[in-house]
Short mmCIF file of all heavy atoms in Angstrom, two decimals:
data_model
loop_
_atom_site.label_atom_id
_atom_site.label_comp_id
_atom_site.label_asym_id
_atom_site.label_seq_id
_atom_site.Cartn_x
_atom_site.Cartn_y
_atom_site.Cartn_z
N MET A 1 86.55 145.77 51.66
CA MET A 1 87.71 144.91 51.70
C MET A 1 87.87 144.26 50.32
O MET A 1 86.90 143.86 49.71
CB MET A 1 87.45 143.87 52.79
CG MET A 1 88.61 143.00 53.08
SD MET A 1 88.52 142.14 54.64
CE MET A 1 86.96 141.35 54.60
N ASP A 2 89.10 144.17 49.89
CA ASP A 2 89.31 143.60 48.55
C ASP A 2 89.23 142.08 48.58
O ASP A 2 89.20 141.45 49.63
CB ASP A 2 90.63 144.10 47.95
CG ASP A 2 91.86 143.41 48.51
OD1 ASP A 2 91.73 142.57 49.40
OD2 ASP A 2 92.97 143.74 48.04
N GLY A 3 89.18 141.49 47.42
CA GLY A 3 88.98 140.06 47.31
C GLY A 3 90.09 139.23 47.93
O GLY A 3 89.84 138.18 48.52
N THR A 4 91.33 139.69 47.81
CA THR A 4 92.46 138.94 48.35
C THR A 4 92.39 138.88 49.87
O THR A 4 92.55 137.82 50.48
CB THR A 4 93.79 139.57 47.91
OG1 THR A 4 93.81 139.63 46.49
CG2 THR A 4 94.97 138.78 48.41
N ALA A 5 92.16 140.02 50.50
CA ALA A 5 92.07 140.08 51.97
C ALA A 5 90.87 139.29 52.46
O ALA A 5 90.95 138.57 53.47
CB ALA A 5 91.99 141.52 52.44
N ASP A 6 89.76 139.39 51.74
CA ASP A 6 88.56 138.65 52.12
C ASP A 6 88.81 137.15 52.04
O ASP A 6 88.42 136.39 52.93
CB ASP A 6 87.41 139.06 51.19
CG ASP A 6 86.08 138.50 51.64
OD1 ASP A 6 85.82 138.45 52.85
OD2 ASP A 6 85.28 138.12 50.76
N HIS A 7 89.48 136.73 50.98
CA HIS A 7 89.79 135.31 50.79
C HIS A 7 90.73 134.81 51.89
O HIS A 7 90.51 133.73 52.46
CB HIS A 7 90.43 135.12 49.41
CG HIS A 7 90.77 133.71 49.08
ND1 HIS A 7 89.81 132.77 48.77
CD2 HIS A 7 91.96 133.07 49.02
CE1 HIS A 7 90.39 131.61 48.54
NE2 HIS A 7 91.71 131.77 48.68
N LEU A 8 91.75 135.59 52.21
CA LEU A 8 92.69 135.21 53.25
C LEU A 8 92.00 135.12 54.61
O LEU A 8 92.19 134.15 55.35
CB LEU A 8 93.86 136.19 53.31
CG LEU A 8 94.89 135.95 54.41
CD1 LEU A 8 95.50 134.56 54.31
CD2 LEU A 8 95.98 137.02 54.34
N ALA A 9 91.18 136.11 54.94
CA ALA A 9 90.46 136.10 56.22
C ALA A 9 89.53 134.90 56.31
O ALA A 9 89.43 134.25 57.36
CB ALA A 9 89.69 137.40 56.41
N SER A 10 88.88 134.57 55.21
CA SER A 10 87.98 133.42 55.17
C SER A 10 88.75 132.12 55.41
O SER A 10 88.31 131.25 56.19
CB SER A 10 87.26 133.38 53.82
OG SER A 10 86.48 132.23 53.71
N LYS A 11 89.89 131.97 54.74
CA LYS A 11 90.72 130.77 54.93
C LYS A 11 91.22 130.67 56.38
O LYS A 11 91.24 129.59 56.97
CB LYS A 11 91.92 130.80 53.98
CG LYS A 11 91.58 130.63 52.54
CD LYS A 11 91.30 129.20 52.22
CE LYS A 11 91.15 129.03 50.72
NZ LYS A 11 90.77 127.70 50.36
N LEU A 12 91.62 131.81 56.94
CA LEU A 12 92.08 131.81 58.33
C LEU A 12 90.96 131.42 59.29
O LEU A 12 91.19 130.68 60.25
CB LEU A 12 92.64 133.19 58.70
CG LEU A 12 94.02 133.52 58.14
CD1 LEU A 12 94.33 134.99 58.35
CD2 LEU A 12 95.09 132.65 58.76
N ARG A 13 89.75 131.89 59.02
CA ARG A 13 88.62 131.52 59.89
C ARG A 13 88.33 130.02 59.82
O ARG A 13 88.04 129.39 60.83
CB ARG A 13 87.39 132.32 59.51
CG ARG A 13 87.53 133.78 59.87
CD ARG A 13 86.22 134.49 60.02
NE ARG A 13 86.37 135.93 60.02
CZ ARG A 13 87.02 136.65 60.91
NH1 ARG A 13 87.62 136.05 61.91
NH2 ARG A 13 87.09 137.95 60.83
N ARG A 14 88.42 129.44 58.63
CA ARG A 14 88.22 127.99 58.50
C ARG A 14 89.31 127.22 59.24
O ARG A 14 89.03 126.23 59.91
CB ARG A 14 88.20 127.58 57.02
CG ARG A 14 86.82 127.79 56.42
CD ARG A 14 86.73 127.16 55.04
NE ARG A 14 86.24 128.21 54.16
CZ ARG A 14 86.81 128.63 53.05
NH1 ARG A 14 87.90 128.07 52.62
NH2 ARG A 14 86.29 129.60 52.36
N LEU A 15 90.53 127.69 59.13
CA LEU A 15 91.65 127.07 59.84
C LEU A 15 91.44 127.19 61.36
O LEU A 15 91.67 126.24 62.10
CB LEU A 15 92.96 127.73 59.44
CG LEU A 15 94.23 127.19 60.09
CD1 LEU A 15 94.43 125.71 59.73
CD2 LEU A 15 95.43 128.02 59.64
N SER A 16 90.95 128.33 61.81
CA SER A 16 90.66 128.54 63.22
C SER A 16 89.60 127.57 63.72
O SER A 16 89.74 126.97 64.80
CB SER A 16 90.20 129.98 63.45
OG SER A 16 89.79 130.18 64.77
N GLU A 17 88.55 127.39 62.94
CA GLU A 17 87.49 126.44 63.31
C GLU A 17 88.04 125.02 63.40
O GLU A 17 87.72 124.29 64.35
CB GLU A 17 86.35 126.49 62.30
CG GLU A 17 85.51 127.74 62.39
CD GLU A 17 84.44 127.80 61.32
OE1 GLU A 17 84.06 126.73 60.78
OE2 GLU A 17 83.97 128.91 61.02
N ASP A 18 88.86 124.64 62.43
CA ASP A 18 89.47 123.30 62.45
C ASP A 18 90.34 123.12 63.69
O ASP A 18 90.29 122.09 64.35
CB ASP A 18 90.30 123.06 61.19
CG ASP A 18 89.46 122.82 59.96
OD1 ASP A 18 88.24 122.59 60.10
OD2 ASP A 18 90.02 122.86 58.85
N ALA A 19 91.15 124.12 63.99
CA ALA A 19 92.03 124.04 65.16
C ALA A 19 91.19 123.90 66.43
O ALA A 19 91.51 123.07 67.30
CB ALA A 19 92.91 125.29 65.24
N PHE A 20 90.12 124.66 66.53
CA PHE A 20 89.27 124.59 67.72
C PHE A 20 88.65 123.21 67.88
O PHE A 20 88.66 122.63 68.96
CB PHE A 20 88.18 125.67 67.64
CG PHE A 20 87.28 125.67 68.84
CD1 PHE A 20 87.69 126.24 70.03
CD2 PHE A 20 86.02 125.09 68.77
CE1 PHE A 20 86.86 126.24 71.14
CE2 PHE A 20 85.19 125.08 69.87
CZ PHE A 20 85.60 125.66 71.06
N HIS A 21 88.14 122.66 66.78
CA HIS A 21 87.48 121.36 66.83
C HIS A 21 88.44 120.21 67.10
O HIS A 21 88.02 119.13 67.51
CB HIS A 21 86.69 121.10 65.54
CG HIS A 21 85.48 121.97 65.43
ND1 HIS A 21 84.46 121.95 66.34
CD2 HIS A 21 85.14 122.90 64.51
CE1 HIS A 21 83.54 122.83 66.00
NE2 HIS A 21 83.93 123.43 64.89
N HIS A 22 89.73 120.46 66.88
CA HIS A 22 90.73 119.42 67.16
C HIS A 22 91.45 119.66 68.49
O HIS A 22 92.48 119.05 68.77
CB HIS A 22 91.75 119.35 66.01
CG HIS A 22 91.19 118.70 64.80
ND1 HIS A 22 90.59 119.42 63.79
CD2 HIS A 22 91.11 117.40 64.43
CE1 HIS A 22 90.17 118.59 62.85
NE2 HIS A 22 90.47 117.35 63.21
N GLY A 23 90.90 120.55 69.31
CA GLY A 23 91.42 120.75 70.65
C GLY A 23 92.53 121.77 70.81
O GLY A 23 93.18 121.81 71.84
N TYR A 24 92.73 122.58 69.78
CA TYR A 24 93.78 123.60 69.85
C TYR A 24 93.14 124.98 70.04
O TYR A 24 93.21 125.85 69.18
CB TYR A 24 94.63 123.59 68.58
CG TYR A 24 95.37 122.29 68.39
CD1 TYR A 24 94.87 121.29 67.57
CD2 TYR A 24 96.57 122.06 69.05
CE1 TYR A 24 95.55 120.09 67.40
CE2 TYR A 24 97.26 120.87 68.90
CZ TYR A 24 96.74 119.89 68.07
OH TYR A 24 97.42 118.70 67.92
N GLY A 25 92.51 125.16 71.19
CA GLY A 25 91.77 126.39 71.47
C GLY A 25 92.61 127.65 71.43
O GLY A 25 92.21 128.66 70.85
N GLN A 26 93.81 127.60 72.04
CA GLN A 26 94.65 128.79 72.06
C GLN A 26 95.11 129.15 70.65
O GLN A 26 95.10 130.32 70.27
CB GLN A 26 95.86 128.56 72.97
CG GLN A 26 96.69 129.80 73.17
CD GLN A 26 97.79 129.59 74.20
OE1 GLN A 26 98.03 128.48 74.65
NE2 GLN A 26 98.46 130.66 74.56
N SER A 27 95.47 128.15 69.87
CA SER A 27 95.87 128.41 68.48
C SER A 27 94.70 128.97 67.68
O SER A 27 94.87 129.88 66.87
CB SER A 27 96.38 127.13 67.83
OG SER A 27 97.55 126.68 68.46
N ALA A 28 93.50 128.43 67.92
CA ALA A 28 92.32 128.91 67.22
C ALA A 28 92.09 130.39 67.49
O ALA A 28 91.77 131.16 66.58
CB ALA A 28 91.09 128.10 67.63
N CYS A 29 92.29 130.80 68.75
CA CYS A 29 92.12 132.21 69.11
C CYS A 29 93.14 133.09 68.39
O CYS A 29 92.80 134.17 67.89
CB CYS A 29 92.23 132.41 70.61
SG CYS A 29 90.83 131.77 71.52
N LEU A 30 94.37 132.63 68.32
CA LEU A 30 95.41 133.41 67.65
C LEU A 30 95.15 133.51 66.15
O LEU A 30 95.37 134.57 65.55
CB LEU A 30 96.79 132.79 67.91
CG LEU A 30 97.30 132.90 69.34
CD1 LEU A 30 98.58 132.11 69.51
CD2 LEU A 30 97.50 134.35 69.73
N ILE A 31 94.69 132.43 65.56
CA ILE A 31 94.36 132.45 64.12
C ILE A 31 93.19 133.40 63.86
O ILE A 31 93.19 134.15 62.89
CB ILE A 31 94.07 131.02 63.62
CG1 ILE A 31 95.33 130.17 63.72
CG2 ILE A 31 93.56 131.05 62.18
CD1 ILE A 31 95.08 128.67 63.56
N GLU A 32 92.20 133.38 64.75
CA GLU A 32 91.06 134.29 64.63
C GLU A 32 91.51 135.74 64.74
O GLU A 32 91.04 136.61 64.02
CB GLU A 32 90.03 133.97 65.71
CG GLU A 32 88.72 134.69 65.58
CD GLU A 32 87.88 134.27 64.39
OE1 GLU A 32 87.99 133.12 63.95
OE2 GLU A 32 87.11 135.11 63.90
N LEU A 33 92.45 136.00 65.64
CA LEU A 33 93.02 137.35 65.77
C LEU A 33 93.70 137.77 64.47
O LEU A 33 93.57 138.92 64.04
CB LEU A 33 94.05 137.39 66.90
CG LEU A 33 93.55 137.82 68.26
CD1 LEU A 33 94.63 137.57 69.31
CD2 LEU A 33 93.15 139.27 68.24
N ALA A 34 94.40 136.85 63.84
CA ALA A 34 95.06 137.14 62.56
C ALA A 34 94.02 137.48 61.49
O ALA A 34 94.21 138.42 60.71
CB ALA A 34 95.91 135.97 62.12
N ALA A 35 92.92 136.74 61.47
CA ALA A 35 91.85 137.02 60.49
C ALA A 35 91.26 138.41 60.73
O ALA A 35 91.03 139.17 59.78
CB ALA A 35 90.76 135.96 60.58
N ASN A 36 91.03 138.75 61.99
CA ASN A 36 90.51 140.08 62.31
C ASN A 36 91.48 141.18 61.89
O ASN A 36 91.07 142.22 61.37
CB ASN A 36 90.22 140.20 63.82
CG ASN A 36 89.05 139.37 64.25
OD1 ASN A 36 88.22 138.96 63.44
ND2 ASN A 36 88.96 139.09 65.53
N TYR A 37 92.77 140.93 62.12
CA TYR A 37 93.79 141.91 61.74
C TYR A 37 93.83 142.12 60.23
O TYR A 37 93.91 143.26 59.76
CB TYR A 37 95.16 141.46 62.27
CG TYR A 37 96.25 142.44 61.99
CD1 TYR A 37 96.38 143.59 62.77
CD2 TYR A 37 97.14 142.24 60.94
CE1 TYR A 37 97.38 144.50 62.50
CE2 TYR A 37 98.15 143.14 60.67
CZ TYR A 37 98.27 144.28 61.46
OH TYR A 37 99.25 145.18 61.19
N VAL A 38 93.76 141.04 59.48
CA VAL A 38 93.75 141.14 58.02
C VAL A 38 92.57 141.99 57.56
O VAL A 38 92.72 142.89 56.72
CB VAL A 38 93.70 139.73 57.37
CG1 VAL A 38 93.36 139.81 55.89
CG2 VAL A 38 95.02 139.01 57.58
N GLU A 39 91.39 141.73 58.11
CA GLU A 39 90.21 142.51 57.74
C GLU A 39 90.36 143.98 58.11
O GLU A 39 90.05 144.87 57.32
CB GLU A 39 88.96 141.93 58.41
CG GLU A 39 88.54 140.61 57.83
CD GLU A 39 87.33 140.03 58.54
OE1 GLU A 39 87.01 140.44 59.67
OE2 GLU A 39 86.71 139.13 57.95
N MET A 40 90.85 144.22 59.32
CA MET A 40 91.00 145.59 59.80
C MET A 40 91.99 146.37 58.94
O MET A 40 91.73 147.51 58.54
CB MET A 40 91.47 145.58 61.26
CG MET A 40 91.65 146.93 61.89
SD MET A 40 92.24 146.81 63.58
CE MET A 40 93.91 146.20 63.31
N GLU A 41 93.12 145.76 58.64
CA GLU A 41 94.13 146.45 57.84
C GLU A 41 93.65 146.66 56.39
O GLU A 41 93.97 147.68 55.79
CB GLU A 41 95.45 145.68 57.86
CG GLU A 41 96.18 145.82 59.17
CD GLU A 41 96.52 147.26 59.51
OE1 GLU A 41 97.21 147.92 58.71
OE2 GLU A 41 96.10 147.73 60.58
N ALA A 42 92.91 145.72 55.85
CA ALA A 42 92.39 145.88 54.49
C ALA A 42 91.45 147.08 54.42
O ALA A 42 91.52 147.88 53.49
CB ALA A 42 91.67 144.61 54.05
N VAL A 43 90.60 147.22 55.42
CA VAL A 43 89.68 148.36 55.46
C VAL A 43 90.47 149.66 55.58
O VAL A 43 90.21 150.64 54.88
CB VAL A 43 88.67 148.21 56.62
CG1 VAL A 43 87.90 149.49 56.85
CG2 VAL A 43 87.71 147.07 56.34
N ARG A 44 91.46 149.67 56.47
CA ARG A 44 92.28 150.87 56.68
C ARG A 44 93.03 151.26 55.41
O ARG A 44 93.05 152.42 55.01
CB ARG A 44 93.27 150.64 57.82
CG ARG A 44 94.05 151.88 58.22
CD ARG A 44 95.04 151.57 59.33
NE ARG A 44 96.12 150.74 58.87
CZ ARG A 44 97.22 151.19 58.25
NH1 ARG A 44 97.34 152.47 57.99
NH2 ARG A 44 98.17 150.36 57.89
N LEU A 45 93.62 150.28 54.74
CA LEU A 45 94.35 150.58 53.51
C LEU A 45 93.42 151.06 52.40
O LEU A 45 93.78 151.96 51.64
CB LEU A 45 95.13 149.35 53.05
CG LEU A 45 96.34 148.99 53.92
CD1 LEU A 45 96.91 147.64 53.49
CD2 LEU A 45 97.41 150.07 53.85
N ASN A 46 92.23 150.49 52.32
CA ASN A 46 91.25 150.96 51.32
C ASN A 46 90.86 152.40 51.59
O ASN A 46 90.70 153.19 50.67
CB ASN A 46 90.02 150.06 51.31
CG ASN A 46 90.27 148.76 50.61
OD1 ASN A 46 91.17 148.64 49.79
ND2 ASN A 46 89.47 147.74 50.93
N GLN A 47 90.70 152.76 52.87
CA GLN A 47 90.36 154.15 53.21
C GLN A 47 91.49 155.09 52.84
O GLN A 47 91.25 156.18 52.29
CB GLN A 47 90.04 154.26 54.70
CG GLN A 47 88.74 153.64 55.10
CD GLN A 47 88.53 153.62 56.61
OE1 GLN A 47 89.47 153.77 57.39
NE2 GLN A 47 87.30 153.39 57.03
N LEU A 48 92.72 154.69 53.13
CA LEU A 48 93.86 155.51 52.76
C LEU A 48 93.97 155.67 51.25
O LEU A 48 94.27 156.75 50.74
CB LEU A 48 95.16 154.91 53.30
CG LEU A 48 95.39 155.00 54.81
CD1 LEU A 48 96.62 154.20 55.20
CD2 LEU A 48 95.56 156.46 55.22
N TRP A 49 93.72 154.60 50.53
CA TRP A 49 93.78 154.63 49.07
C TRP A 49 92.75 155.58 48.49
O TRP A 49 93.02 156.31 47.55
CB TRP A 49 93.61 153.22 48.52
CG TRP A 49 93.81 153.14 47.05
CD1 TRP A 49 92.84 152.97 46.11
CD2 TRP A 49 95.04 153.24 46.34
NE1 TRP A 49 93.40 152.94 44.86
CE2 TRP A 49 94.75 153.12 44.97
CE3 TRP A 49 96.36 153.43 46.73
CZ2 TRP A 49 95.74 153.19 44.00
CZ3 TRP A 49 97.34 153.47 45.76
CH2 TRP A 49 97.02 153.37 44.41
N ARG A 50 91.54 155.58 49.07
CA ARG A 50 90.47 156.45 48.57
C ARG A 50 90.78 157.93 48.80
O ARG A 50 90.30 158.78 48.06
CB ARG A 50 89.15 156.10 49.25
CG ARG A 50 88.50 154.90 48.64
CD ARG A 50 87.09 154.72 49.16
NE ARG A 50 86.90 153.31 49.40
CZ ARG A 50 86.51 152.76 50.52
NH1 ARG A 50 86.24 153.51 51.55
NH2 ARG A 50 86.39 151.47 50.63
N ARG A 51 91.55 158.24 49.84
CA ARG A 51 91.88 159.64 50.14
C ARG A 51 92.83 160.23 49.13
O ARG A 51 92.96 161.43 49.01
CB ARG A 51 92.50 159.74 51.53
CG ARG A 51 91.51 159.53 52.63
CD ARG A 51 92.18 159.73 53.96
NE ARG A 51 91.37 159.18 55.02
CZ ARG A 51 91.80 158.90 56.22
NH1 ARG A 51 93.05 159.14 56.54
NH2 ARG A 51 91.01 158.40 57.12
N ARG A 52 93.56 159.40 48.41
CA ARG A 52 94.57 159.89 47.46
C ARG A 52 93.96 160.52 46.27
O ARG A 52 93.04 160.52 45.75
CB ARG A 52 95.45 158.74 47.01
CG ARG A 52 96.26 158.21 48.17
CD ARG A 52 97.17 157.13 47.73
NE ARG A 52 98.43 157.79 47.40
CZ ARG A 52 99.31 157.33 46.54
NH1 ARG A 52 99.11 156.23 45.92
NH2 ARG A 52 100.43 157.97 46.30
#
């Protein structure tokens, strides 16, 4: 995963933790899903890029 995607996923995870600790459990889950998606897509795009 490249640095930008890693940085974004990390920021999203921190935001998710903050949301959870402030009682926004459903929002925390959605933010965590977004972080997972960013990581997954970064890996997929890197694999596609390497095939070229």
